[in-house]
Amino acid sequence: RNEKEVLRKKINSIRIEGPFDSSYSLAILNRETAKALKKLGYNVSLYSTEGFGDFEPNKDFLNKNPQIKALYTKTQKKVDLVSRNLYPPRVEGMNGNIKMLHHYAWEESGFVDEWAENFNKHLDCMSVLSTHVKKIMIDNGEKIPMKVSGCGVEHLQEIKPTPFDIGRLNSFKFLHISSCFPRKGIDILIDAYAKAFNKNDDVSLIIKTFPNPHNNIEELLNRDDLPHVVLINEDIDAQKLKWLYKISDVLVAPSRAEGFGLPVAEALLEDMGVIVTNWGGWLDFCDEESAWLLDFTFEKAKTHFNLYNSVWAEVDKEDLIKSIFAGANIIGINHRNLDTFEMDMKLCEKLIPLIPNGKIIVAESGINDHETLQELSKMGADAFLVGEHFMRQDDITKALKALKYGEER
């Protein structure tokens, strides 16, 4: 407490520099940090800039958020402390007595030598989002004072969800929220989703992303074997984003590298199930009690940085398939392809061994006699969906008894 009082005597004016006018995770961090500092009594301002230069903030966003608009400044006059969170991390030309980065995140094990040198040269200190990030910074030569700050998610509790039209949704809904950069693992998620389910299954995968140079999500979705997918490839406000959490069952994040994972923390706050890679910043708050931790192997990181000494985590696809199955409590296996109407009565035999224990398995279509029902039951089916067979019967009660017991009763 005394240390905080001394610090306040030395620091009064603080400027937070970086994006703050969208649902981008850095923007959320910047504006929520500014609001928190303001609440603590500091003289705080927000300056709109990114790694490649300054930009005008979104006017609609400012008009909808008067508190943020009041903090926005167009000047970079000298302050007691200036702190940035932007990408790429530009640290030159900071006009403050104390210069720092706040809530910094990094993902893969290697780091850019030039950035490390600039941090040591231009910054007085930095805070990082996780122990994962801190270790990477130290391993790559950072010598400035550093503290793990974590990342608050209480801002989500202040937001009222707003429904919006995203089209048809099935009963069980998976959610993925990311930039869809290659390190986010969206390619392996889509492949695992296609292998875990088919177009007849009562599941949906909602992908919330935004256009960017590294996002090839539409190309990845251009395949014929995908179960139902809803793509939201645009920025949306916090109210709509919270509604996605409210309507979804499980958030899936098979990232190859992650500095923190704000959507995962927000999903946990909303009591969602989460599936994450067992490596990265979210291990500060995800464990076997709160999340399904995916197996992985280390591989050379294939990022645009092309760092010679850097690795990331490649998720075990079979483990991801099992985890997706585990997300649903009731799993239906339909022997009939609803696109071609062809029947495959071997489908239960193929898929049931892949389903974790404790799930209710429903065998659907093509069940016309007691022998078939018995065979499916021995395979592990718990319940049966029979429609057409009964519709063709004159006496449904008699047909039901024959199907269930193999004889008239």
Side-chain angles (χ1 to χ4, degrees), residues 89-102:
R90 175 168 45 88
V91 295
E92 301 89 344
M94 300 172 73
N95 194 12
N97 294 328
I98 300 175
K99 307 171 185 67
M100 68 174 286
L101 292 182
H102 59 273

Side-chain angles (χ1 to χ4, degrees), residues 346-364:
K346 297 291 185 180
L347 204 56
C348 275
E349 184 178 349
K350 298 173 187 175
L351 295 181
I352 286 177
L354 299 175
I355 300 175
N357 294 330
K359 305 298 173 182
I360 299 173
I361 300 171
V362 182
E364 304 170 1

Side-chain angles (χ1 to χ4, degrees), residues 29-190:
L29 283 174
N30 286 331
R31 64 176 178 260
E32 293 301 323
T33 298
K35 287 164 61 178
L37 289 169
K38 180 72 174 177
K39 191 174 181 179
L40 289 172
Y42 292 104
N43 179 15
V44 183
S45 59
L46 279 162
Y47 187 80
S48 183
T49 188
E50 254 292 13
F52 297 107
D54 301 346
F55 67 96
E56 287 292 320
N58 185 288
K59 292 182 179 179
D60 289 339
F61 177 88
L62 292 179
N63 290 333
K64 291 179 180 178
N65 297 272
Q67 185 180 6
I68 301 301
K69 186 176 182 179
L71 297 177
Y72 167 55
T73 178
K74 295 185 178 182
T75 65
Q76 280 186 299
K77 65 180 181 179
K78 193 167 187 177
V79 292
D80 296 330
L81 185 151
V82 59
S83 188
R84 286 180 177 171
N85 192 333
L86 38 71
Y87 185 83
R90 175 168 45 88
V91 295
E92 301 89 344
M94 300 172 73
N95 194 12
N97 294 328
I98 300 175
K99 307 171 185 67
M100 68 174 286
L101 292 182
H102 59 273
H103 310 322
Y104 189 66
W106 185 253
E107 296 84 22
E108 56 184 292
S109 70
F111 195 56
V112 182
D113 289 340
E114 181 184 355
W115 293 1
E117 292 172 6
N118 285 337
F119 287 11
N120 285 327
K121 180 179 179 180
H122 296 287
L123 297 176
D124 297 296
C125 58
M126 65 188 296
S127 69
V128 295
L129 284 179
S130 64
T131 52
H132 173 83
V133 180
K134 183 177 181 179
K135 182 181 186 303
I136 292 172
M137 293 295 102
I138 294 172
D139 289 347
N140 286 275
E142 285 307 323
K143 301 175 182 178
I144 59 175
M146 196 181 314
K147 187 173 181 62
V148 176
S149 63
C151 180
V153 292
E154 61 272 12
H155 61 274
L156 196 67
Q157 296 175 315
E158 302 171 1
I159 297 168
K160 294 183 178 180
T162 300
F164 65 110
D165 184 16
I166 58 174
R168 174 179 66 87
L169 288 172
N170 289 322
S171 299
F172 197 90
K173 293 168 279 292
F174 295 99
L175 177 63
H176 177 82
I177 300 175
S178 81
S179 60
C180 287
F181 285 6
R183 70 172 177 83
K184 296 292 185 178
I186 186 64
D187 56 329
I188 194 170
L189 171 57
I190 290 172

Side-chain angles (χ1 to χ4, degrees), residues 396-407:
I396 293 178
T397 301
K398 181 179 179 181
L400 175 60
K401 290 180 179 179
L403 185 64
K404 187 174 181 179
Y405 301 110
E407 58 184 57

Side-chain angles (χ1 to χ4, degrees), residues 213-268:
H214 305 290
N215 183 344
N216 66 336
I217 183 61
E218 293 183 357
E219 178 183 337
L220 292 173
L221 292 176
N222 186 23
R223 50 193 288 178
D224 296 328
D225 61 341
L226 275 177
H228 187 241
V229 174
V230 173
L231 175 61
I232 306 170
N233 196 9
E234 61 179 331
D235 192 36
I236 60 175
D237 60 35
Q239 291 76 19
K240 292 178 180 177
L241 191 63
K242 183 166 182 177
W243 181 71
L244 292 181
Y245 288 124
K246 289 291 187 185
I247 65 168
S248 301
D249 299 287
V250 174
L251 184 128
V252 191
S255 292
R256 296 178 168 96
E258 201 68 51
F260 183 80
L262 183 60
V264 174
E266 292 177 335
L268 287 172

